[in-house]
Amino acid sequence: MAELLWSLQDSQLVARFQRRCGLFPAPDEGPSENGAGPTDREARTPGLGHLPAAKGKGAGEPANGLRRLAAPQAYVEKYVVKNYFYYYLFRFSAALGQEVFYITFLPFTHWNIDPYLSRRLTIIWVYPFVLGLMMAVVFSTLVGLSRLYTGMHTVLDVLGGILITAILIVLTYPAWTLIDRLDSASPLLPVCVLVVPFLLCYNYPASDYYSPARADTTTILAAGAGVTIGFWINHFFQLVSEPTESLPVIQNIPPLTTELLAVGLAKFTVGIVLILLVRQLVQKLSLQVLYSWFKVVTRNKEARRRLEIEVPYKFVTYTSVGICATTFVPMLHRFLGLL
C-alpha cells in the first residue's frame, strides 16, 4: 500500500498526463536575466507559462509536471501547447475552482433562478439529489483533472480530495435539511459562522514556501460564511417570503422570453457591479487598517502574504461580498423594479 501511495505521488505521473493531453516542456534555453524562457508563440501561451522548474531529485529533467509556487528558482520553465482543446477545457475547468466561478455562478442562481436553490447549493444540497450529485461529480472531475494538467497537485492529492469529499457527503447527508433549518432559525448562527471558519483559516497548516492555498481556502470559507449570514438576515428581518412548496421552486420559473433575458442580464450586471465595488472598498479599507495596526509600509505588497494580514483581510472582504450578494443586491433589485 505504501508503495502504491508513493507511486501516486510521483510527479512523473503528472508529467505523463500533461504530455498525453498535449502539454510539453518547452526547449530549455537556460537561465536569463529576467527569468524568461523560450520566446516562441506556443511556449508563451498565457495561463500555462511561468511554471517553475523542478528542484532537487530529477531537476535535470525537462519538467516533472509539478509547479513549485514561490519556491526559490533559477529560471522559469515554460510549456508548449499542442492540443488546444484540452488547453481551453482545463483552463475553463480550473476557473470552476476559483473566485471567478463562485462570484458569478452562485449569485446568478440567487438573483435569476431561486434564492432557496442557491442556499441549498451553498450547503451542498440540490434537487433532485441524483442530478445534483452528477453535476458535482462532473464539476469536481474537471477541476481535479485541471489541477493535474496545470501541475498544481499530484494524483494522490486529487484522489485523496475525492475520498475525503465522498466520506463527508455520506456522513453529513442525513443532516443537510436540519442544518438548513438551523441556518434560518438559530440566533447564534452569525457568531458561529464567523468565528469557526476564521479560526480554521487562521490555523491553516503552514508550508516551507508561500502557497495560495491558504488564501483560496479563506476566500471560499469567508464567502460561504457571508452567504449564510445573508440568508439569516433575510429570514430574521423577513426580507424574503418563505416558499410554500418544496425546495427549490424551479417549477415556477416562467418561460424563457426576450424580456426575461433582458431583466436577468440587468439583474446580473447590477449585482456584479455592486459586488465588485464592495469587494474593492472593503479590501482597501481592511488592508489599510491592518497595515496601520501592524505598522507595515502600504507599498509592501509582500506583506499581504503574512498570516496576520492575509487571513483577516480576505475573510472580511469575502464575508462582505457574500452578505452583499444575498441581501443588499436583492434589495437594490427591488428598489430598481427588477424583481
Side-chain angles (χ1 to χ4, degrees):
M1 178 60 72
E3 185 177 349
L4 174 62
L5 294 177
W6 184 260
S7 66
L8 291 176
Q9 202 173 7
D10 187 3
S11 59
Q12 291 301 322
L13 192 60
V14 177
R16 287 197 294 271
F17 175 79
Q18 291 175 326
R19 292 161 191 161
R20 183 63 63 88
C21 294
L23 185 66
F24 294 84
D28 186 8
E29 295 186 0
S32 61
E33 281 188 12
N34 58 3
T39 58
D40 60 277
R41 181 174 177 271
E42 284 189 316
R44 288 160 55 88
T45 304
L48 288 173
H50 309 290
L51 301 184
K55 298 294 179 184
K57 184 178 179 180
E61 301 174 8
N64 68 354
L66 287 182
R67 296 178 70 176
R68 294 288 182 246
L69 294 175
Q73 57 190 42
Y75 65 98
V76 175
E77 183 72 44
K78 293 195 175 183
Y79 289 79
V80 176
V81 178
K82 295 187 177 181
N83 189 317
Y84 279 91
F85 171 77
Y86 288 119
Y87 170 73
Y88 288 111
L89 173 65
F90 290 126
R91 286 201 67 181
F92 169 77
S93 303
L96 296 178
Q98 296 173 354
E99 173 189 355
V100 65
F101 176 74
Y102 297 109
I103 211 171
T104 56
F105 176 72
L106 288 176
F108 178 85
T109 304
H110 182 85
W111 302 331
N112 291 301
I113 300 180
D114 188 86
Y116 297 97
L117 173 60
S118 176
R119 186 176 78 196
R120 295 292 181 126
L121 283 171
T122 304
I123 60 170
I124 324 174
W125 189 98
V126 290
Y127 177 84
F129 176 74
V130 174
L131 176 61
L133 184 60
M134 290 174 58
M135 290 176 59
V137 169
V138 171
F139 277 31
S140 299
T141 300
L142 288 174
V143 172
L145 291 177
S146 74
R147 294 301 185 234
L148 297 179
Y149 184 81
T150 55
M152 293 294 292
H153 292 282
T154 66
V155 175
L156 182 61
D157 293 337
V158 174
L159 293 179
I162 293 173
L163 179 61
I164 292 172
T165 302
I167 292 174
L168 289 175
I169 289 176
V170 171
L171 293 178
T172 61
Y173 173 63
W176 287 352
T177 299
L178 175 62
I179 293 172
D180 188 28
R181 290 172 181 170
L182 289 176
D183 283 355
S184 301
S186 175
L188 296 178
L189 174 74
V191 177
C192 296
V193 163
L194 289 175
V195 172
V196 174
F198 180 80
L199 291 178
L200 290 174
C201 295
Y202 203 83
N203 291 279
Y204 192 87
S207 58
D208 295 335
Y209 302 109
Y210 176 80
S211 168
R214 182 179 66 201
D216 293 342
T217 301
T218 304
T219 297
I220 294 172
L221 289 181
V227 167
T228 304
I229 292 175
F231 286 134
W232 181 87
I233 292 173
N234 293 341
H235 175 81
F236 186 81
F237 292 100
Q238 298 182 349
L239 299 179
V240 294
S241 58
E242 294 290 339
T244 57
E245 304 177 41
S246 59
L247 300 177
V249 198
I250 301 181
Q251 61 268 27
N252 293 332
I253 296 179
L256 191 62
T257 62
T258 304
E259 182 181 358
L260 186 63
L261 286 174
V263 172
L265 180 60
K267 284 183 180 179
F268 185 73
T269 303
V270 169
I272 288 298
V273 169
L274 183 58
I275 281 179
L276 292 178
L277 288 175
V278 168
R279 175 181 175 272
Q280 188 67 21
L281 178 62
V282 176
Q283 176 177 291
K284 186 174 182 179
L285 290 176
S286 59
L287 280 173
Q288 287 182 347
V289 170
L290 289 167
Y291 284 163
S292 175
W293 180 270
F294 292 105
K295 296 180 174 55
V296 176
V297 179
T298 306
R299 294 187 298 273
N300 184 4
K301 300 299 182 182
E302 292 297 317
R304 290 191 181 190
R305 296 181 172 183
R306 289 170 51 176
L307 171 66
E308 63 272 20
I309 293 179
E310 182 178 62
V311 171
Y313 102 79
K314 280 194 170 291
F315 197 87
V316 170
T317 298
Y318 288 98
T319 298
S320 302
V321 166
I323 296 174
C324 176
T326 51
T327 299
F328 294 107
V329 170
M331 292 173 64
L332 180 59
H333 287 163
R334 190 175 294 107
F335 176 78
L336 297 175
L338 296 174
L339 290 181

